[in-house]
Amino acid sequence: MRTLVICLYIITALLSACSRGEKTDNLGQHDHAKAEEVKYTCSMHPQVIQDQPGVCPICGMTLVKVNTSNDSANSLMLNDSQMKLANITTRKVSVRPLGQTLIVNARLVEDEDLAEVISSRADGRIEKLFVKETGRMVQAGEPLYELYSETLLSLQREYLLAKEQYESFGKDESHYKSFLRAAEQKLLLYGLSKKQVDALAQSKSIQSRVTLLSPSSGIISRISVTEGQYVNEGTLLYRIEDIRRLWLEAELYPNEVDLVKFGDKLNARVNGFESLPVEGKVIFMSPEYRGNSQVSVIRAEIENPGLKFKPGMEAQVFFTHSIRDAIAVPTDAVIREGRGSHVYVETGLNTFQPRMVKTGLEDFEQIEITDGLKEGDRIAVTGAYLLYSEIILKKGSDPMAGHHH
């Protein structure tokens, strides 16, 4: 009897152990299945995530399978070639001066100080116009028009006579040299170039039609004469705009005028050339409002290397005020989405993890981080959106899902 009881006890213990083993195995299989849960996403549109295979509703591409394991789900490790290909660069977070930025529309206009008006130096008839259309670029010394003028004919004769007298009697009578210089100076004052005067001295042939040259380089903005027209001394012929330097004019409302003062430096972007930052210096602030309005005009002077900018182009001016020291990062480093904003913090060599942040002040280049980062953290400042897409593609889910401040 005692032997039978011992046998029943052993059998019961073995059955109980087998039962626990089956539960343990089933639990392990469940955890393993959960760890290997997969979803499907689009290679071109990682925001598309589905539980079943199919095609992308946006582009029609076949969805690819991705693992959604929670092990280091929010971390992404790249190799050196991937870092270079994605142009991912990092920088330590630091405290920088930052302020609020006001954007004001502006317009480029010609610099009146560089504009030149060309008028006739003598009475006569316009025989030929070498430049007949506005908007054309001319260079200093380029022919502009031909003029027939009795005055210029007389001055040429006077110069040749003075030269002949100097060559004949100049060695004995010194005043003939002063006569020659005076005759030459008259021709120069009437618009001839030194090269033209020297050519006249060499040829000793009077020109009935004198070609007048452009005194400066720039764009022809106005033509006030036609061929065959008789003109008087002082008649307006051309207007030339030198656009190597331009004015940037902006209109400010009364509450914005105090944000700028004479001599301040302004940052601007010209439409169509946003990648070329423009810096100007305020040279004028209107003391009155523009007619029938509540706006006053300010004017800044900007350089125009390469003559890329043209008068009439639209621009935006950025006024920064209320400046204070704050933890700030480049605007491109912050990913903004419906759940909030996040950045990618470097946690190891070429390893990044998204982190939710709160933002504050923002200007054209920087944004304040009020929560989520501390000074000394290293973050991705370029290529953040590529990291965001890569995590979604590999993990199959939004890296910030379930994260809230």
Side-chain angles (χ1 to χ4, degrees), residues 156 159-160 163 184 187-188 192-207 210-211 213:
Q156 290 180 79
Y159 173 76
L160 292 178
K163 181 174 176 57
E184 179 182 356
L187 288 174
L188 295 175
L192 275 71
S193 67
K194 184 66 169 62
K195 187 176 181 180
Q196 287 175 309
V197 175
D198 292 341
L200 175 62
Q202 291 291 329
S203 66
K204 297 182 180 181
S205 176
I206 296 175
Q207 302 296 319
V210 179
T211 299
L213 311 178

Side-chain angles (χ1 to χ4, degrees), residues 256-274:
E256 299 169 344
V257 173
D258 292 338
L259 300 180
V260 62
K261 62 182 182 295
F262 184 86
D264 280 355
K265 290 185 178 180
L266 301 181
N267 294 316
R269 296 290 189 276
V270 179
N271 291 359
F273 295 89
E274 286 78 4

Side-chain angles (χ1 to χ4, degrees), residues 93 327 329 333-336 339-345 353-360 367-374 377 379 400 403-405:
V93 175
I327 292 180
V329 300
V334 180
I335 305 297
R336 310 167 200 250
R339 296 182 180 87
S341 301
H342 67 275
V343 298
Y344 283 86
V345 180
Q353 189 173 41
R355 184 182 298 175
M356 293 291 289
V357 294
K358 286 184 178 180
T359 60
I367 182 170
E368 179 187 14
I369 303 298
T370 60
D371 188 24
L373 289 178
K374 64 181 183 298
D377 287 340
I379 65 170
M400 289 293 99
H403 291 255
H404 298 284
H405 270 294

Side-chain angles (χ1 to χ4, degrees), residues 24 257-258 281 289:
T24 303
V257 173
D258 292 338
K281 181 180 179 181
Y289 292 135

